[in-house]
Structures are given as structure tokens and as C-alpha cells.
Amino acid sequence: MNDSVNPYQPVATPADAVAAALADGDVHFAASQSQLRFAESQYLLRQHSFRLFFGSLAMIACSMFAIALILWRFPNPFSFVAALVGAMVVSSCLYLAMVHRTKMKIREQLRTHGLVQDYQCTIRLDPGQVVLASPLGTYAWQNEDVKVYRTRKGVLLCPEPFLFIFVAKASEFKDASYSEFRKRLFARKATVSSASHENS
């Protein structure tokens, strides 16, 4: 019989593994609703910038055409105001339709990974990978697969399509400040880039 095994010790469960991972992170965070909305807008701007740019250009062109057409048919001040308001309403509806499906995919991914309002999560920077621990599980991505962006409220990590991890400046950092954590993130990305250039 192996005396090192304690028969009264509770059996480890997936929840225990997640709790251990949560306790062993480099940064602990729980995003608020406003932080999630801010991060979502930043993600859309950075990951879908071309789509939003060309979509905006198309909406502006359509609006100008509609205004010119109405003024040509009905040349009076009331027609101009009506055309302007109508163009703004149509442009807003088109913009919302353009990003609605993407937003739904993003929010579904966030829920799947436990990145929702007030859920306690951690990020750990292991050699070669970034590890997320949330109440729903532990996830790991290779450094080269994680895009990192600076924002005015924190740092945005994008490890896979339609998924972001937002670490706010006011998060709880285990051994360093926000600026030191951010430097480590970008230093790891730089190391990956230099290694890929050397291999090529």
C-alpha cells in the first residue's frame, strides 16, 4: 500500500483545476459591462477595420446620392432637412446591420469562454503560450496566435476569430504593474517575430 496517498483527500475535479489556475495567474480581472462594450468596439475597429471603412464609405456615398436626388426633385429647405434626416437614419440602420452578426458571434464566443460581466478570470504568461483561466475552464494559445493591441483603458488580446480578452489597467497584477505586464506581452510577441524571421 502506498502511504503517500491520503484516502480522505477529496478527488480532484475540473472545477478544482480551474480554481488552481485562477489562483496561479499573472493578472486577475473581472470585466464590467462598460469595459466589455469598450473592448468590443476596439476589437471591431482593429480586427474588422477594412470592412467598417468600406462600409462607411458606401453609406456616405448612398446618403449623398439620396440627398442630391431629393434636392433635384424637390428644391426647397424642407426637402433638404427631410433628406438629411432620412439619410442619417438609413445610414445608422445599415451600420447596425453590418456589425450585428459579428457582434453576436463575438458575444457567443465570450460566453463560451467565461469572459462575461463580473466573472473572475486570470491570464498567465507561460513560456511559448498565453493561458486563460475562467470559471468555465482553462484555455491556452501559442504566442504567435495571440494578437495584442494597446488601448487607452487597457490591453486587448485576440487569440482566435471573434474572441478577445480585455485586461484593464485597474486589474489585479500579481507581481508587477500594468505597464510591466504589457511590456512582457509585447516582448513575447517580438521574440516570436524575431524567431520566425530567423527560421525563414
Side-chain angles (χ1 to χ4, degrees), residues 44-177:
L44 288 170
L45 286 172
R46 296 167 190 272
Q47 293 289 95
H48 300 275
S49 56
F50 287 109
R51 180 181 178 183
L52 295 176
F53 174 74
F54 288 112
S56 299
L57 285 182
M59 288 186 292
I60 292 171
C62 291
S63 300
M64 293 177 64
F65 176 77
I67 291 173
L69 183 63
I70 291 176
L71 287 177
W72 177 65
R73 294 289 301 273
F74 308 100
N76 61 69
F78 296 105
S79 298
F80 175 76
V81 173
L84 184 62
V85 172
M88 291 172 61
V89 171
V90 172
S91 296
S92 299
C93 292
L94 289 175
Y95 178 81
L96 292 175
M98 185 171 58
V99 301
H100 177 74
R101 182 173 295 181
T102 302
K103 283 186 175 183
M104 292 301 101
K105 290 181 180 179
I106 292 170
R107 292 172 188 178
E108 179 61 28
Q109 277 280 67
L110 293 177
R111 286 193 295 269
T112 299
H113 290 79
L115 293 165
V116 295
Q117 180 181 355
D118 298 332
Y119 270 35
Q120 293 291 329
C121 303
T122 69
I123 289 289
R124 189 175 73 247
L125 303 181
D126 284 346
Q129 63 181 1
V130 175
V131 181
L132 165 72
S134 78
L136 296 188
T138 303
Y139 311 89
W141 298 275
Q142 297 301 311
N143 280 344
E144 59 267 23
D145 297 329
V146 182
K147 296 179 180 179
V148 184
Y149 302 101
R150 292 184 180 92
T151 74
R152 60 184 175 85
K153 293 186 178 182
V155 65
L156 189 71
L157 293 82
C158 304
E160 58 185 74
F162 305 106
L163 177 67
F164 64 78
I165 305 166
F166 182 67
V167 179
K169 292 180 179 180
S171 299
E172 182 184 345
F173 297 92
K174 185 176 181 181
D175 297 320
S177 63

Side-chain angles (χ1 to χ4, degrees), residues 8-26:
Y8 299 102
Q9 183 176 358
V11 177
T13 65
D16 295 331
V18 172
L22 285 170
D24 192 32
D26 290 327

